[in-house]
């Protein structure tokens, strides 16, 4: 095949397979068609056909099929690393396109209560003339910073991946809250849906005494405010609700560090750097570091 024909074929693949590479990444991450179907909105049959066609076009076996589901081969893992970069570039382009005017948007992910705190106290650490626009994404799972799902994540532990940088902002303590000490029952998630440390603790210690169940932390707080039962909350959230009082000491096993995490490649971007400084100021005011703790510094693991 001539160099000209090779170049034309490569250019055609880059255009026609952009979407298929994204679908491939979804299948490879899920390890099965079902999970990728939920993420992409396509049927399992369509994904199967697209993956087979992609293997034919690339001339490489990308998955090991059978009882192991869709486990990436060595070639598949190599392609996944490249597909992640494509996804990150696509998200960057989407963010650029969405930011029609004004300061760049900085996407910040945090759990339910930290997102609520950051929203309520925004004027304390951000002003309209700041060189960045806050865009909050509430999620109790770690969104993928490498794929640029978000720019900054508020996490409960130091980052360990070499492509991430972290700045410690303080500690988060948790306790049980209710409308009064006389409230005996507990509010928690279903047995099969406990993922947060506070949820696991509630099921482990009080699973037999649940008077109400919800997967939504905000609904659990609403139930507690209505006097239905006790609920475990971060102290910065529980202490701010007039209807609730602490009905336990701080639960030491649930105390965690708090970190701001971003990608190594973007930590010196002016907008993200300004957002990191502002968020650190806002969070340290609520979750102060103890004197024996290290100060907040942005660095790789």
């Amino acid at each position: 095949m001539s160099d000209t024909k090779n170049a034309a074929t490569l250019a055609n693949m880059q255009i026609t397979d952009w979407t298929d590479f994204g679908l491939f990444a979804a299948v490879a991450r899920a390890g099965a068609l079902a999970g990728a179907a939920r993420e992409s909105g396509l049927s399992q049959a369509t994904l199967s056909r697209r993956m087979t066609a992609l293997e034919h076009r690339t001339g490489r076996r990308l998955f090991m099929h059978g009882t192991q589901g869709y486990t990436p081969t060595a070639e598949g893992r190599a392609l996944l690393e490249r597909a992640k970069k494509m996804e990150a570039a696509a998200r960057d382009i989407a963010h650029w396109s969405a930011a029609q005017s004004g300061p760049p948007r900085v996407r910040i992910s945090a759990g339910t209560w930290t997102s609520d705190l950051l929203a309520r106290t925004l004027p304390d650490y951000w002003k309209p003339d700041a060189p960045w626009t806050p865009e909050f994404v509430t999620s109790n799972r770690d969104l993928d910073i490498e794929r640029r799902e978000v720019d900054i994540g508020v996490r409960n532990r130091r980052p360990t991946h070499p492509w991430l940088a972290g700045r410690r902002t303080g500690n988060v303590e948790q306790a049980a809250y209710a409308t009064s000490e006389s409230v005996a029952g507990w509010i928690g998630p279903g047995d099969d849906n406990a993922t947060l440390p506070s949820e696991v603790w509630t099921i482990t210690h009080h699973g037999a005494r649940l008077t109400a169940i919800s997967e939504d932390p905000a609904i659990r707080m609403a139930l507690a405010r209505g006097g239905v039962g006790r609920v475990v909350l971060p102290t910065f959230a529980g202490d701010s609700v007039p209807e609730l009082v602490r009905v336990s000491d701080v639960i030491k096993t649930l105390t965690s560090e708090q970190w701001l995490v971003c990608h190594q490649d973007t930590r010196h971007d002016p907008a993200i750097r300004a957002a990191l400084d502002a968020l650190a100021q806002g969070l340290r005011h609520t979750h102060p570091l103890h004197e024996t703790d290290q100060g907040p510094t942005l660095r790789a693991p």
Side-chain angles (χ1 to χ4, degrees):
M1 185 182 290
S2 67
D3 290 344
T4 301
K5 191 172 183 179
N6 270 327
T9 301
L10 178 58
N12 186 57
M13 280 192 63
Q14 289 173 334
I15 294 171
T16 60
D17 290 344
W18 180 282
T19 300
D20 280 348
F21 287 138
L23 295 176
F24 160 80
V27 174
R29 282 192 297 269
L33 293 177
R38 288 191 295 270
E39 178 179 338
S40 66
L42 298 179
S43 69
Q44 296 185 44
T46 297
L47 286 172
S48 178
R49 289 194 299 270
R50 298 280 281 268
M51 294 304 98
T52 299
L54 184 60
E55 287 185 321
H56 288 163
R57 286 196 298 274
T58 60
R60 301 171 191 243
R61 187 183 182 196
L62 303 176
F63 297 103
M64 294 183 291
H65 306 284
T67 57
Q68 293 179 313
Y70 273 65
T71 303
T73 61
E75 295 279 18
R77 292 192 296 272
L79 177 58
L80 179 59
E81 292 306 309
R82 290 162 174 78
K84 287 180 179 179
K85 295 177 182 178
M86 293 180 66
E87 290 178 316
R91 291 182 186 280
D92 282 344
I93 292 172
H95 293 166
W96 170 82
S97 178
Q100 298 177 356
S101 61
R105 297 180 185 178
V106 177
R107 288 169 57 84
I108 306 153
S109 73
T112 301
W113 304 122
T114 301
S115 293
D116 176 77
L117 170 71
L118 290 174
R120 286 189 289 106
T121 62
L122 183 64
D124 294 340
Y125 61 89
W126 176 87
K127 304 298 179 187
D129 60 353
W132 61 287
T133 300
E135 182 177 349
F136 295 108
V137 181
T138 301
S139 177
N140 288 315
R141 65 181 181 89
D142 290 346
L143 297 182
D144 198 328
I145 293 174
E146 183 188 14
R147 292 173 54 214
R148 305 299 198 271
E149 286 187 322
V150 292
D151 301 301
I152 299 172
V154 184
R155 306 274 173 86
N156 62 2
R157 61 197 177 281
R158 177 181 179 176
T160 57
H161 296 297
W163 56 83
L164 297 178
R167 172 186 290 186
R168 187 175 174 192
T169 60
N171 302 297
V172 176
E173 298 178 333
Q174 306 210 38
Y177 289 82
T179 51
S180 72
E181 290 277 0
S182 63
V183 175
W186 288 79
I187 303 166
D191 293 348
D192 298 331
N193 296 294
T195 55
L196 297 174
S198 59
E199 295 175 338
V200 174
W201 184 92
T202 300
I203 292 296
T204 300
H205 294 275
H206 303 286
R209 302 175 61 195
L210 295 183
T211 54
I213 297 170
S214 176
E215 310 311 317
D216 186 336
I219 296 298
R220 293 200 292 266
M221 175 189 273
L223 289 166
R225 293 172 70 177
V228 174
R230 300 183 174 205
V231 66
V232 176
L233 296 170
T235 54
F236 71 83
D239 290 348
S240 68
V241 180
E243 300 96 326
L244 298 179
V245 296
R246 287 196 201 186
V247 291
S248 79
D249 295 330
V250 168
I251 304 169
K252 297 295 186 181
T253 56
L254 294 180
T255 297
S256 62
E257 297 179 350
Q258 186 173 70
W259 289 76
L260 289 172
V261 180
C262 69
H263 199 284
Q264 278 275 48
D265 294 344
T266 63
R267 61 181 176 147
H268 296 303
D269 176 89
I272 292 178
R273 188 76 191 194
L276 286 165
D277 290 341
L279 291 167
Q281 176 184 347
L283 291 173
R284 287 190 69 196
H285 177 72
T286 307
H287 314 315
L289 289 163
H290 296 303
E291 292 182 0
T292 55
D293 292 329
Q294 63 185 32
T297 56
L298 190 67
R299 66 193 188 288

